[in-house]
Amino acid sequence: MEFEEDRINIRELRQDEANEARDIVVSGLKRQIVTYRSALKFFFRRIGWVIMGLCLVGFYLLTSSLRLLSWQQCLFVSVVLATVFRIHVCLGVVYSKFREYINSEAELQDLYPWYKDGGKFWVAVFRGKAIGTVALRRTSETVAELKRMSVVPSCRRKGLATRMVKHFEEHCRSNGIER
């Protein structure tokens, strides 16, 4: 998406765009959490080796029953298939845990009221469409944390996130938030 920086408006979230903002946040979280790297963390757990062993035996029996390959080739194909299968099962586990988190996080169920008391939630809007989000949550009178920052994939690497952080920092300075 091509856009001119001066045509982007960063403003507070309106109730009618809360679902659109939620989708942007969830999409950003998914891109960060549901990865092959995170699946590999599950890959090396003990139960995973048992599952891989069972898959290996199953794939070996299947490939050897076809009688098209030598036993060494069957073993090699079985190891490859069991590994690929296991990685994708682990990716499925990570995605399942991600969905559990999204569904249990009360804040993500309805963003609009969540940030009304002491917090702020802004959306970056271009041509009437939300393209980025950033939120502020106060932890004390002078301390706040940046939350729920995300930019739609088609608008990344164009300086939008930097602009949203500057907006966040300006708000903090003008409201006595020191860090």
Side-chain angles (χ1 to χ4, degrees):
M1 175 184 288
E2 290 297 320
F3 57 84
E4 303 89 41
E5 191 172 324
D6 60 332
R7 299 194 55 205
I8 296 171
N9 182 25
I10 299 175
R11 60 172 162 71
E12 284 193 48
L13 177 70
R14 293 190 312 229
Q15 192 162 8
D16 64 318
E17 59 196 10
N19 286 337
E20 189 177 6
R22 178 189 185 276
D23 291 345
I24 293 170
V25 170
V26 170
S27 172
L29 287 171
K30 183 179 175 190
R31 271 181 81 98
Q32 289 178 316
I33 296 170
V34 183
T35 63
Y36 281 107
R37 176 180 280 171
S38 57
L40 285 174
K41 290 178 184 176
F42 285 101
F43 186 86
F44 292 107
R45 292 198 175 162
R46 217 175 274 155
I47 188 70
W49 291 110
V50 172
I51 293 169
M52 185 155 171
L54 293 172
C55 288
L56 186 60
V57 169
F59 284 129
Y60 182 79
L61 291 173
L62 179 70
T63 55
S64 63
S65 71
L66 298 174
R67 301 194 191 283
L68 299 172
L69 306 170
S70 69
W71 73 268
Q72 295 97 335
Q73 291 170 323
C74 288
L75 184 61
F76 176 76
V77 168
S78 299
V79 168
V80 170
L81 288 174
T83 303
V84 169
F85 178 77
R86 183 169 170 209
I87 288 173
H88 284 88
V89 165
C90 291
L91 195 59
V93 168
V94 170
Y95 180 75
S96 173
K97 296 285 185 190
F98 169 75
R99 292 305 314 167
E100 278 179 33
Y101 167 74
I102 295 300
N103 293 332
S104 69
E105 190 73 14
E107 172 188 349
L108 291 174
Q109 300 312 309
D110 193 2
L111 291 171
Y112 185 74
W114 195 262
Y115 286 94
K116 280 298 172 201
D117 298 324
K120 294 284 184 186
F121 195 100
W122 295 283
V123 290
V125 180
F126 179 67
R127 294 186 182 153
K129 182 173 175 20
I131 58 172
T133 64
V134 65
L136 172 141
R137 186 178 140 268
R138 281 187 182 245
T139 55
S140 73
E141 280 297 313
T142 59
V143 179
E145 66 180 346
L146 184 144
K147 292 188 65 148
R148 307 301 179 207
M149 182 156 182
S150 191
V151 176
V152 296
S154 62
C155 298
R156 292 189 180 145
R157 313 279 317 151
K158 297 178 181 175
L160 180 59
T162 302
R163 187 163 167 208
M164 289 191 306
V165 168
K166 286 180 183 174
H167 184 84
F168 175 88
E169 290 171 339
E170 287 170 15
H171 175 82
C172 289
R173 271 192 295 279
S174 66
N175 287 282
I177 299 170
E178 297 169 1
R179 54 183 187 114

